Amino acid sequence: MNTTKIGWIGLGNMGIPMAEQLIKADYAVTVYNRSKEKEAALKEMGASIAETPRDLIVATDVVIVMISDDAAIEQIFKGEDGLFSAEISGKIIINMSTVSPSISKEMATFCKERGSAYLDAPVSGSVKQAETGQLVIMVGGEETAFDQVKPVLEKMGKLAMLVGENGAGNSAKLAINSLLALYAQGLAETVLFANQQGIKTEDLLALINNAAIGNIFTKIKGDAITANNYKAAFALKHIVKDLNLAKAEGIASPLAKTALETFEAASAAYGEEDIIAVIKQVKG
Ligand code: NAP
């Protein structure tokens, strides 16, 4: 059994398989999720359950947070029974959610004042990469804290890289997700254009995936389009959040602007479905 005691907050599409990697790697893991019913599967795998974020941080050394957005972070860190309601000196908090650089800087300052460390460590990759420990993890924060938790991060990712001070991990992630949005809209538009020209979706995708422009994204999302399966691996509403965060950080390219308009328009009907459900929006 690894000696570092891990606390895990957030059991959504990503949080469950990521926490599972740590249990499989023989860490003692304590979990907390706002909707308590999602904790059962982890309990069966051997995790302990904490009633509140406060109880969780008291019982552990390293706390990992994987939740939706800035509002959720406010709640988990600063809410009643939140992480900051406990004595946190000596703890390391790793926030792997995709959130704004500014909220990371704010939480990092608060942690430092109380003798603890904060790392922003968002991930690239989706459920499949989470299930196989193949995520790419970009980290902002102090090198000493990063070095301490790198072995933990490497149980979830094939690469964990320190890219700068607090907030830098989030900035890198927003850049990557801007490209993700363009890939998704681009693939959707390409498939629809080919269909209009009488080309079958399966045939087009076989060509793309054997060509230099094919990649893991076109493979996985191509399969989803073919199977008409839009169950969220990465919910479309989350890319709207990310594009808005990138906009707030100053991204102003024509493609990013177009993508934000498209995904915002898609959000009402398809927000809970996968990002590639944008094809239904583009089709009209
Ligand atoms: P998800 O399936 O929507 O799960 C969201 C999690 O956040 C749930 O545990 C949810 O709790 C919790 N949460 C939301 N609001 C909360 C609040 N106010 N207080 C406490 N907990 C709250 O999201 P996900 O797909 O796992 O993504 C998590 C993060 O990773 C997001 O920032 C996302 O952008 C990012 N990300 C996702 C992917 C992907 O492919 N899915 C890839 C890379 C990065 P409940 O269970 O109670 O709702």
Side-chain angles (χ1 to χ4, degrees):
M1 178 68 74
N2 282 299
T3 50
T4 306
K5 286 182 271 174
I6 311 266
W8 190 280
I9 297 181
L11 297 172
N13 291 328
M14 293 295 281
I16 288 178
M18 289 168 73
E20 280 178 5
Q21 295 302 320
L22 299 183
I23 297 172
K24 283 187 205 153
D26 224 13
Y27 281 100
V29 178
T30 302
V31 301
Y32 166 84
N33 194 62
R34 178 181 61 175
S35 309
K36 304 300 277 175
E37 71 277 2
K38 291 191 195 161
E39 294 167 344
L42 277 292
K43 191 175 181 190
E44 241 165 62
M45 287 190 73
S48 305
I49 307 298
E51 278 311 306
T52 64
R54 179 192 164 82
D55 292 349
L56 178 132
I57 198 166
V58 167
T60 55
D61 309 309
V62 172
V63 172
I64 304 179
V65 182
M66 189 55 170
I67 55 180
S68 306
D69 53 16
D70 283 27
I73 294 298
E74 290 274 349
Q75 185 64 36
I76 289 296
F77 281 68
K78 300 207 287 197
E80 199 187 337
D81 294 326
L83 295 173
F84 289 161
S85 68
E87 163 55 56
I88 59 169
S89 166
K91 315 275 181 181
I92 300 180
I93 301 177
I94 310 173
N95 185 0
M96 302 191 80
S97 327
T98 305
V99 293
S100 67
S102 56
I103 203 163
S104 275
K105 287 177 197 157
E106 182 191 333
M107 298 305 155
T109 302
F110 197 96
C111 285
K112 200 167 184 178
E113 284 166 5
R114 280 152 187 81
S116 59
Y118 174 101
L119 296 169
D120 39 294
V123 306
S124 185
S126 190
V127 172
K128 199 171 177 66
Q129 289 74 31
E131 286 169 351
T132 50
Q134 293 291 303
L135 294 166
V136 170
I137 304 171
M138 51 217 90
V139 185
E142 286 184 7
E143 196 161 5
T144 43
F146 174 68
D147 288 342
Q148 267 178 276
V149 299
K150 200 167 177 236
V152 178
L153 297 177
E154 284 175 344
K155 295 290 182 290
M156 295 178 278
K158 62 177 172 186
L159 175 68
M161 188 194 284
L162 186 67
V163 291
E165 295 178 353
N166 281 123
N170 299 125
S171 296
K173 175 62 183 167
L174 295 183
I176 288 176
N177 268 22
S178 301
L179 180 59
L180 174 68
L182 303 185
Y183 275 0
Q185 184 167 351
L187 182 64
E189 290 183 0
T190 301
V191 167
L192 291 173
F193 170 68
N195 288 164
Q196 281 160 12
Q197 305 302 310
I199 313 292
K200 285 195 216 120
T201 303
E202 296 89 315
D203 291 350
L204 179 80
L205 290 167
L207 294 169
I208 289 176
N209 289 325
N210 278 286
I213 50 165
N215 55 37
I216 297 171
F217 182 83
T218 61
K219 174 78 181 76
I220 292 177
K221 299 309 178 190
D223 286 350
I225 293 171
T226 314
N228 207 21
N229 173 14
Y230 297 106
K231 182 176 177 296
F234 178 53
L236 191 147
K237 66 181 178 188
H238 287 323
I239 198 72
V240 176
K241 164 196 60 128
D242 298 349
L243 289 168
N244 272 310
L245 289 175
K247 184 179 170 192
E249 295 302 312
I251 197 167
S253 75
L255 288 178
K257 193 166 170 278
T258 302
L260 177 56
E261 281 167 13
T262 306
F263 283 99
E264 269 187 335
S267 192
Y270 311 117
E272 299 300 327
E273 297 186 42
D274 191 68
I275 182 173
I276 201 60
V278 73
I279 196 167
K280 296 194 256 184
Q281 175 69 24
V282 177
K283 196 171 182 182

